Amino acid sequence: MRWVVIAALMFLMLTSTRVGPIATILSNLRWVPLFFLGLAALLIAVRNRALPRPLNKADAVMLGFVAVALLSSLHSIDPEITLLRGLSVLLMYGAVFWGVWVYADEFGADEVVRIIVVTAAIVFGLHLAFGLLDPGGSMPYHGRFRGWAQNPGTPGGQVALLLPLALWLALKRSRWQHWLLVGAMLLIMILSQTRSEFAAAGVGSSYFLWRALPRRRWLVLVSVLIVLVIGFTWVEVGPRLLPSGDHVTSAFNKVSPVDIEKSSEVASERGTVESEVASERGTVE
């Protein structure tokens, strides 16, 4: 079941990839692990003739939201899409509130967090790999890093969600691999230049560190301030240094941006001459 949870997380996060064929495959495949997680909880309930866990207020809230989502399809401008989205919420509820919950009861919440962090390491590793192999496509405009995603908000949002968990594991098991992951996440967050996600990551991580390190709160404040200063400095400096992806590619290919601008000017002049010749031919005919 561990690999089903990892697959569910991977498929959901990689759905926003800019690699067309993979995005097309994952758009439907992402629901399969969620279905099996919910199905596992259902099979356990049938086998034991009892619910895997007692119901609580969270279930009532989620089921009420699912009911509203499904009923809204009756007055939607696109009932099919609204209905499918309501069913996806129901599927997510079954996978997380029952499938993953059962797994956490069996193996502990710490194991679930470790699975999430392992998945995060794979996802952010792929971001960095795309940045090295395709620098122009990974930073297409204003020096904003997007990695394998379609826009910079995706890696920024992933860091905002997962950074507190990575910090928790790094503090609990202080290994170089864990701190390397934290450093990679901070680098991706800074390079993405996503202000709202940067603020969210700062608030969430600061709150966690403030509670986890009561005797080192001054160090937490200084560290957070340093990261914020570096991040917002890059927001101002990055667009000036790397206004387009061509400049990133040219840096790796040792071609100056001036040469790129000259080539684009020549191409535009050539296009203008060709259009004038075509118009004169049409006039003569």
Side-chain angles (χ1 to χ4, degrees):
M1 196 169 179
R2 171 189 176 93
W3 291 104
V4 179
V5 177
I6 293 177
L9 292 170
M10 285 284 296
F11 291 171
L12 287 174
M13 285 192 281
L14 292 177
T15 303
S16 58
T17 179
R18 56 188 171 93
V19 182
I22 296 179
T24 302
I25 294 172
L26 292 180
S27 63
N28 296 318
L29 190 61
R30 57 180 168 168
W31 307 117
V32 176
L34 298 177
F35 172 78
F36 280 109
L37 285 172
L39 181 63
L42 179 61
L43 293 177
I44 292 174
V46 172
R47 184 189 61 185
N48 299 335
R49 297 182 180 179
L51 293 176
R53 62 170 180 81
L55 296 172
N56 53 43
K57 294 181 180 179
D59 294 295
V61 173
M62 284 301 304
L63 290 175
F65 179 80
V66 170
V68 172
L70 294 175
L71 289 174
S72 63
S73 62
L74 298 176
H75 56 81
S76 173
I77 59 175
D78 195 334
E80 183 179 356
I81 291 181
T82 305
L83 180 62
L84 290 175
R85 287 177 176 174
L87 292 175
S88 68
V89 175
L90 179 61
L91 191 62
M92 189 76 72
Y93 163 73
V96 176
F97 280 72
W98 291 97
V100 177
W101 200 310
V102 169
Y103 185 86
D105 288 340
E106 181 70 21
F107 299 99
D110 291 0
E111 175 63 18
V112 176
V113 175
R114 281 192 288 268
I115 290 175
I116 296 174
V117 174
V118 167
T119 308
I122 298 173
V123 168
F124 292 117
L126 289 174
H127 275 304
L128 294 177
F130 268 76
L132 293 174
L133 298 176
D134 182 24
S138 298
M139 303 178 75
Y141 55 95
H142 300 299
R144 300 187 65 186
F145 181 81
R146 65 174 181 174
W148 49 257
Q150 295 181 5
N151 62 76
T154 298
Q158 291 168 347
V159 173
L161 289 172
L162 300 172
L163 183 58
L165 297 179
L167 286 170
W168 174 83
L169 187 59
L171 290 175
K172 188 172 184 178
R173 296 185 175 183
S174 186
R175 298 176 180 175
W176 68 269
Q177 299 95 328
H178 300 154
W179 289 111
L180 180 63
L181 174 61
V182 172
M185 295 172 74
L186 290 175
L187 176 64
I188 290 173
M189 169 64 72
I190 293 171
L191 293 180
S192 66
Q193 301 182 34
T194 50
R195 294 176 178 84
S196 57
E197 287 83 355
F198 197 76
V203 171
S205 301
S206 299
Y207 176 78
F208 165 73
L209 293 174
W210 187 267
R211 298 294 299 271
L213 302 172
R215 297 182 180 180
R216 299 181 180 179
R217 288 179 174 175
W218 63 270
L219 180 61
V220 172
L221 289 176
V222 172
S223 301
V224 171
L225 287 176
I226 291 175
V227 173
L228 288 176
V229 169
I230 294 175
F232 284 105
T233 300
W234 178 253
V235 169
E236 297 298 326
V237 175
R240 294 178 173 85
L241 294 178
L242 303 171
S244 68
D246 293 336
H247 292 70
V248 181
T249 307
S250 64
F252 279 82
N253 295 331
K254 297 182 179 180
V255 179
S256 65
V258 176
D259 294 334
I260 297 175
E261 293 177 359
K262 287 182 179 180
S263 62
S264 61
E265 290 177 359
V266 171
S268 62
E269 292 177 358
R270 186 177 300 171
T272 304
V273 172
E274 291 177 353
S275 61
E276 291 177 355
V277 172
S279 62
E280 289 178 358
R281 288 179 179 177
T283 304
V284 173
E285 294 176 354

